[in-house]
Amino acid sequence: MISADIRAQIKAGETPATAFIASPDDVAAISATVCGFLNSRGGVVFVGVDPTRGVVGVGPEAESARRRLETQLQNDISPKALFTLSIDTDQDQAIISIEAPEGRDVPYVVDGRVFVRRGARTVVADPELLRQLVQSRSIEADRWERRPSLGLNETDLSGAEVRTTVEEARVSDRFVFSDGEDIRSVVRQLGLVASNGLTNGCDVLFAERPAVRHPQCRVRFIQYETDKTASTYIDSQWFEGPLVRVFSQLIEKVGAQVRVQALFVAGEHGRKDQPNYSQDALREGLVNALAHRDYAGFSGGLTVSVYPNRIEIWNAGRLPKGLKVGDLKKPHPSIPTNPDIAHVLYIRGLMERVGRGTQKIIAACDALGARPPRWKDDATGVTLTIYSATTEAGEFSPSPRQAQLLEKLRPGDSIRLADYIQMQPVSERQARRDLAELEDAGYLVRSGAARSTTYRRSERTL
């Protein structure tokens, strides 16, 4: 099904970050538009959507069309870039969504021309803009994942991980290797070879022991007996090795926290089996942390902390410049911190849609009836908290004034900050804190910004 966010994007029409192309056979226009997004601020191409007629679909063979487009875009766009192709359905009509984040290796070229987005149009870059793109590339070329990993040799790489990557790419058609038998050729085609050696990105992705050269690559798992105020823990373990292998080990460890609880719903016969965590939310949260963490600092890292009623995923680094925590809850531009690493995760089937992972986490938690996930961005890093849907210990307990507000509002009713201040004799600062706590607990849903901000009562009950 087409998500509400995607449906809203289509309804809003073409924008600097949204383009419609009716037919998957119009490969030249699709390639130029994806190239334009890569050279600009990123965006999404909806194939099977007509600018005037709306959703027309791509025909009954949507998966075949997606695979053909994937291969064609890889061949048409140079240098190699991160973009994702997904199929969404609207009733009986299938469309192909091509998510293209802002590229890190501009300028990208199609058929000898550099395309950019100007408003809702894709145009050829003029000489001045082309000069700016070339200058920015000289800066981006020095990012950490592209630097040579000192001491890393081809013999340090895991042949099994490289071969699995080639095989999974062949099955999914997400990447075509001209020579999948030679390890050096494979990593070169993935952009993981610098002029003076294998890159740090190659080390993270394929080395058997990357922590020897980059100790910050290790991931820590901790399970606490009680809340974070306690110092005792049930389990503590470090994971290291090729990135996808680490992810597999970590998701198995975290997945062991998912348990099914039998619930008896009033007015219904029988019981309802409900898991306490969404596997999709946990999986997406871990992939995002591994893909977007800051690998450059030796004091950085990634830690997964399990508490009785929540799981916290912390990774070193900050949100991209211009992106705030509130933006993660809605469609937002994707600016990959490590596009080379993210590209391999996409080829391996771990990253399905660039820029929509946070929305997928929110939707998965909502479907389970859990509190909304919470992101925190501070000087030490980014923390994602995913709450248990069934554990009662440590649940949020509203204050008397918050409880009074919840009793007054019916599901769907809205209130503004000024209204709440009139209702309760509290300062504006305290009122904001009260409403924010109710939002984090899932009782209120915030919309709008600044003075137009409203808080809508959700279906969640006390």
Side-chain angles (χ1 to χ4, degrees), residues 207-382:
E208 283 285 1
R209 300 186 63 198
V212 171
R213 292 163 293 277
H214 311 290
Q216 70 272 26
C217 290
R218 297 190 300 166
V219 177
R220 190 179 187 187
F221 172 90
I222 309 175
Q223 183 175 1
Y224 291 93
E225 186 175 11
T226 58
D227 209 312
K228 64 166 59 179
T229 54
S231 58
T232 58
Y233 49 81
I234 301 171
D235 191 6
S236 178
Q237 189 172 346
W238 289 93
F239 296 93
E240 59 179 284
L243 190 62
V244 176
R245 184 190 301 168
V246 167
F247 167 79
S248 299
Q249 295 170 341
L250 194 58
I251 196 64
E252 181 178 353
K253 194 76 173 178
V254 175
Q257 309 306 315
V258 179
R259 292 176 173 79
V260 176
Q261 177 174 321
L263 301 178
F264 293 89
V265 183
E268 296 183 10
H269 297 289
R271 72 178 191 181
K272 177 183 177 182
D273 291 335
Q274 165 127 344
N276 56 339
Y277 290 103
S278 163
Q279 287 275 18
D280 287 342
L282 294 173
R283 180 180 181 276
E284 200 71 28
L286 290 172
V287 169
N288 282 352
L290 290 169
H292 300 303
R293 61 178 286 196
D294 179 10
Y295 286 91
F298 278 94
S299 60
L302 193 155
T303 302
V304 179
S305 302
V306 176
Y307 300 100
N309 70 320
R310 70 188 184 279
I311 295 176
E312 294 183 358
I313 303 172
W314 172 87
N315 64 276
R318 303 296 301 274
L319 292 179
K321 185 177 180 180
L323 197 64
K324 300 179 180 178
V325 167
D327 298 326
L328 302 178
K329 303 177 183 179
K330 55 189 178 182
H332 58 273
S334 175
I335 308 174
T337 305
N338 309 289
D340 294 343
I341 292 174
H343 189 199
V344 174
L345 294 178
Y346 170 68
I347 291 173
R348 298 291 298 268
L350 299 182
M351 181 174 283
E352 296 296 329
R353 307 184 85 120
V354 176
R356 295 189 188 267
T358 54
Q359 294 164 260
K360 186 175 180 180
I361 295 170
I362 294 171
C365 292
D366 181 64
L368 204 60
R371 287 175 56 181
R374 184 177 184 180
W375 284 267
K376 181 182 178 182
D377 179 29
D378 56 31
T380 63
V382 177

Side-chain angles (χ1 to χ4, degrees), residues 116-152:
V116 295
R117 289 289 284 183
R118 285 282 174 83
R121 298 171 55 240
T122 298
V123 300
V124 177
D126 58 45
E128 174 59 23
L129 182 54
L130 185 58
R131 181 183 65 81
Q132 295 175 9
L133 290 172
V134 172
Q135 287 180 338
S136 64
R137 179 168 185 171
S138 64
I139 298 173
E140 281 295 337
D142 192 43
R143 66 177 184 266
W144 185 85
E145 66 172 354
R146 283 286 174 88
R147 298 173 191 167
S149 181
L150 302 180
L152 176 65

